[in-house]
């Protein structure tokens, strides 16, 4: 994959299934993001996120038009809350793109989308995810001790939240594009 200098945010499309599959194959740490190991599973994964009645607001991080990552807000409309999650294909990591995308989407969710609280959790042995959360203005709220059993070991999960009334972090936004 050739990586450009500045990505954009656009809606996830059905045509992204093949690159979603490639992203899941790019690093074993993607396994916990869902069951995507075939084109059919990738299509089902994307379809679930973009279905007309879906509670998910899925934004593709695109290099040119090629999806390299995803930032998604799974909306609990009754409480005006959103569960916030993200991933980046291995070759595009470490460039600050997920942090910029997460900060941009969080700001959108708390303004344009009208949500009042965003929340997320990450395993404590995934510190990059915590860094992304903090770059996007999330505040650590606690630790769920021994939340997951992974390879015989109980792993803590740090929980984060961001309220509409929290200070907006300084960040370099990614442009939203319509395609
Ligand atoms: C977590 C993930 C999204 C990060 O993507 P990324 O594109 O590398 O993120 P960014 O480049 O925007 O920022 C990564 C930050 O983590 C930091 N980081 C990376 N590895 C780290 C480590 N081992 N310890 C501490 N910090 C680390 C980087 O230094 C950077 O912070 P900085 O900008 O303050 O220097 C990516 O690794 C991923 O997709 N992982 C698999 C899916 C996943 O875990 N998603 C989150 C689920 S909760």
């Amino acid at each position: 994959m050739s990586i450009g200098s500045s990505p954009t945010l656009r809606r996830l499309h059905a045509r992204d299934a093949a690159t979603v599959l490639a992203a899941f194959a790019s690093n074993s740490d993607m396994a916990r993001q869902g069951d995507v190991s075939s084109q059919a599973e990738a299509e089902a994964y994307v379809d679930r996120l973009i279905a007309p009645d879906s509670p998910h607001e899925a934004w593709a991080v695109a290099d040119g038009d090629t999806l390299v990552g995803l930032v998604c807000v799974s909306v609990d409309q009754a409480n005006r809350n959103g569960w916030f999650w993200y991933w980046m294909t291995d070759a595009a990591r470490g460039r600050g793109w997920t942090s910029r995308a997460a900060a941009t989407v969080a700001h959108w969710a708390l303004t344009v989308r009208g949500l009042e609280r965003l929340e997320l959790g990450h395993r404590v042995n995934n510190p990059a995810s915590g860094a992304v959360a903090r770059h996007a203005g999330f505040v650590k709220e606690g630790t769920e001790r021994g939340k997951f059993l992974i390879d015989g070991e109980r792993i803590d999960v740090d929980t984060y939240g961001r309220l509409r009334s929290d200070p907006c972090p300084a960040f370099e936004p990614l442009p939203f594009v319509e395609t």
Side-chain angles (χ1 to χ4, degrees), residues 63-110:
D63 182 25
D65 187 52
T66 304
L67 175 147
V68 292
L70 192 76
V71 177
C72 188
V73 188
S74 300
V75 174
D76 166 6
Q77 192 59 48
N79 290 300
R80 294 188 201 135
N81 285 350
W83 180 257
F84 199 89
W85 52 278
Y86 37 79
W87 52 253
M88 182 63 64
T89 196
D90 187 75
R93 294 182 188 178
R95 295 172 164 76
W97 288 5
T98 313
S99 298
R100 290 176 64 193
T104 306
V105 172
H107 181 70
W108 169 86
L110 293 170

